[in-house]
Amino acid sequence: MNTIKVNSPFDGSLIQEIPLLDEHQVEEKLAKAYALFQDRSRWLKPFERIAILEKTKAIMQTRVEELTKTTASEGGKPYQDSKVEVLRAINGVQLAIEHIGQLKGEQIPMGTTAASVNRWAFTLREPIGVVLSISAFNHPLNLAVHQIIPAFAVGTPVIIKPATSTPLSAIGLVKIMKEAGLPEDWAEVVICSRQNAENMVKDSRINYLSFIGSAEVGWNLRSKLSPGTRCALEHGGSAPVIVGADADLSQTVPALAKGGFYHAGQVCVSVQRVYVHENIIEEFTAQLVAKANALHVGDPMDPKTEVGPLIQTYEVDRVEQWVNEAVNEGAKIMCGGKRISDTCYQPTVLLNPDSESKVSQHEVFGPVVCVYAYSKLQDAVNRANSLPLAFQSAIFTSNLDVALDAVNQLNASAVMVNDHTAFRVDWMPFGGRDASGIGMGGIPYSMHEMTREKLMVIKSKVL
């Protein structure tokens, strides 16, 4: 039997070995999910789904420590941040419970023309069909919640293929759901090869694809969807931040240090490109460097650790290469710039990298923050908008008019004012635009996308 080995990204130790499903086993999972959706007699009513989710939440609340250790050990996110992820995941289940009762249609006016008299019309929202979720490594539990729970909440079967480096949290979530009373075939984890995952993506029995991961893979998979299959793709960004000359650095710098180095920068909206007004760039950079140098890097299971490892050793190699190239192309290393070990890289601040350097053009997905000087706001906005990536962005300023101008001009799906780009709560819309993705996440928004509208028109001579 083929297996995958789940190893600690910090020290490489084996956590667990998991069987890899073959083509026939994957087909069986998909066939059962599709058969379930086709048989309306097996559909769970809203109150039944609510009861299962309430029990799921209750079980998760009793296992916060266990879930935290699983998430931290397989993903490398520090223990303190992994605990926050677990608490967010529990709240995500609660959000789904609350929004089940808000799935509704509307009345469509009739009688406004002679042809529409004697009719009532209403829309209904129905589950879309079998949902296939393909997930990333960086938030193994919370991403599983965002891709499984909304689907079940609206009453549609879901199959999740988690990242092979971090499958344990998704497996644990589905086990908890089954412990809470989830019937078979409603939510299943599939650990399989890329080819078998792609076969599911192309299958006409899949009605909705939820993909979180690299843009190269996501856009390629979208091109292979069966006609009519809808999708949401969430890719990375290269989060731009503008810091005005009037920004309160006592608030700005700690926020950007957190947003840039959280989870070693392995976040799709991690602070990466910071455009700082030339009048304050020296002071800003000095304070950011002090924050970066004070961060505790190391074992994610140590409660004191603030920055853990990168997910794979080859990612350390890549970040090191990109930083070295940026320096050769004119960037100045203000702090960091070296690997600590095969798995950890120093929190790094680069000053004025060339606009064509990889760190300026692409998502670093590592603990690297780039700082650039600007003199006029419009120049900073233009540089922030210069990439095809467009996700979350930010501006720090005390001037409301400047803030509103930036919000209006920045090409982003969200603009944070006086907060870092990695801010998120799970009831807000969340997703990239342009090359950074399509569709919208966030628990209630995913629930809406995982349903479709049906119109009912009633004709009666008494109306």
Side-chain angles (χ1 to χ4, degrees):
M1 181 190 343
N2 291 328
T3 63
I4 61 165
K5 294 181 178 180
V6 182
N7 297 309
S8 162
F10 177 67
D11 61 14
S13 60
L14 179 65
I15 301 172
Q16 192 172 331
E17 195 164 355
I18 299 174
L20 198 66
L21 300 187
D22 61 28
E23 180 180 357
H24 300 293
Q25 292 169 312
V26 172
E27 163 59 26
E28 183 181 17
K29 296 278 191 186
L30 177 52
K32 286 183 176 181
Y34 183 72
L36 170 60
F37 184 72
Q38 294 301 306
D39 185 358
R40 289 190 174 231
S41 68
R42 296 173 62 194
W43 285 18
L44 296 172
K45 296 196 169 39
F47 78 89
E48 294 175 308
R49 285 178 259 137
I50 288 171
I52 292 170
L53 290 175
E54 286 179 337
K55 185 68 180 297
T56 297
K57 175 189 170 187
I59 295 172
M60 292 175 74
Q61 287 174 324
T62 67
R63 299 180 188 171
V64 170
E65 187 67 14
E66 175 186 335
L67 293 169
T68 298
K69 288 181 177 178
T70 298
T71 300
S73 62
E74 69 172 341
K77 184 187 296 180
Y79 174 90
Q80 56 182 285
D81 293 325
S82 291
K83 178 161 283 188
V84 172
E85 177 179 342
V86 171
L87 297 177
R88 278 183 60 191
I90 293 170
N91 185 59
V93 178
Q94 178 61 36
L95 288 170
I97 294 169
E98 294 170 358
H99 281 85
I100 288 175
Q102 298 182 36
L103 290 169
K104 58 185 181 297
E106 61 181 0
Q107 183 177 357
I108 307 300
M110 290 286 144
T112 58
T113 64
S116 65
V117 298
N118 303 123
R119 290 168 175 84
W120 273 346
F122 303 91
T123 59
L124 313 168
R125 296 212 72 85
E126 295 185 329
I128 194 170
V130 178
V131 171
L132 172 62
S133 296
I134 299 178
S135 200
F137 75 86
N138 53 341
H139 308 290
L141 180 61
N142 205 41
L143 293 184
V145 163
H146 275 258
Q147 293 182 288
I148 295 173
I149 298 298
F152 175 68
V154 303
T156 188
V158 56
I159 295 170
I160 185 168
K161 182 205 173 292
T164 52
S165 55
T166 56
L168 302 179
S169 294
I171 291 171
L173 174 63
V174 171
K175 284 182 178 178
I176 288 173
M177 292 178 72
K178 291 182 177 180
E179 186 179 338
L182 180 74
E184 290 295 318
D185 306 329
W186 278 100
E188 297 294 338
V189 180
V190 170
I191 310 297
C192 66
S193 67
R194 278 195 172 188
Q195 184 58 56
N196 284 329
E198 185 175 308
N199 290 341
M200 285 194 291
V201 168
K202 296 187 291 186
D203 199 292
S204 62
R205 291 169 292 181
I206 296 297
N207 291 87
Y208 188 88
L209 170 66
S210 170
F211 177 86
I212 302 174
S214 77
E216 180 182 1
V217 175
W219 292 113
N220 179 55
L221 291 178
R222 181 176 181 248
S223 71
K224 298 179 180 180
L225 291 173
S226 179
T229 300
R230 282 166 37 188
C231 70
L233 309 178
E234 183 187 309
H235 305 317
S238 182
V241 178
I242 298 173
V243 180
D246 61 347
D248 179 354
L249 294 188
S250 68
Q251 301 295 318
T252 302
V253 173
L256 295 184
K258 180 64 177 179
F261 300 121
Y262 166 72
H263 198 8
Q266 298 171 114
V267 180
C268 56
V269 287
S270 178
V271 170
Q272 182 175 326
R273 294 179 294 145
V274 185
Y275 300 96
V276 183
H277 194 276
E278 59 188 8
N279 289 351
I280 63 166
I281 192 167
E282 288 188 16
E283 182 182 0
F284 171 87
T285 304
Q287 290 188 29
L288 182 62
V289 165
K291 287 287 183 185
N293 283 334
L295 292 170
H296 184 90
V297 184
D299 185 351
M301 302 307 291
D302 183 345
K304 297 192 299 292
T305 296
E306 297 166 286
V307 179
L310 275 72
I311 190 65
Q312 301 284 354
T313 55
Y314 59 75
E315 294 294 344
V316 181
D317 297 337
R318 177 188 59 80
V319 171
E320 183 178 53
Q321 179 186 4
W322 284 21
V323 169
N324 289 341
E325 285 181 3
V327 171
N328 291 335
E329 292 162 352
K332 182 178 180 180
I333 295 178
M334 305 305 293
C335 68
K338 295 185 181 299
R339 64 170 65 220
I340 297 173
S341 66
D342 287 341
T343 61
C344 293
Y345 194 84
Q346 291 177 330
T348 298
V349 176
L350 297 178
L351 182 61
N352 288 322
D354 187 86
S355 62
E356 297 302 315
S357 294
K358 288 189 178 74
V359 295
S360 298
Q361 286 287 316
H362 305 288
E363 181 182 31
V364 175
F365 225 60
V368 178
V369 174
C370 302
V371 179
Y372 311 81
Y374 78 90
S375 59
K376 295 182 180 180
L377 177 65
Q378 193 59 53
D379 175 54
V381 170
N382 292 343
R383 292 163 73 184
N385 288 343
S386 64
L387 303 184
L389 304 169
F391 213 140
Q392 298 198 164
S393 59
I395 180 163
F396 287 79
T397 177
S398 300
N399 187 314
L400 180 60
D401 288 340
V402 170
L404 293 177
D405 186 19
V407 169
N408 187 48
Q409 290 198 65
L410 285 168
N411 181 26
S413 58
V415 181
M416 307 300 156
V417 177
N418 294 328
D419 205 349
H420 61 71
T421 56
F423 171 77
R424 182 185 185 186
V425 290
D426 297 306
W427 57 88
M428 77 186 209
F430 184 82
R433 60 164 63 167
D434 299 340
S436 289
I438 188 172
M440 198 56 66
I443 296 293
Y445 295 88
S446 292
M447 289 173 66
H448 184 83
E449 290 211 349
M450 292 175 181
T451 61
R452 52 188 171 185
E453 212 165 41
K454 176 183 283 183
L455 175 67
M456 173 178 63
V457 181
I458 302 170
K459 182 179 180 181
S460 172
K461 61 186 178 181
V462 303
L463 296 176

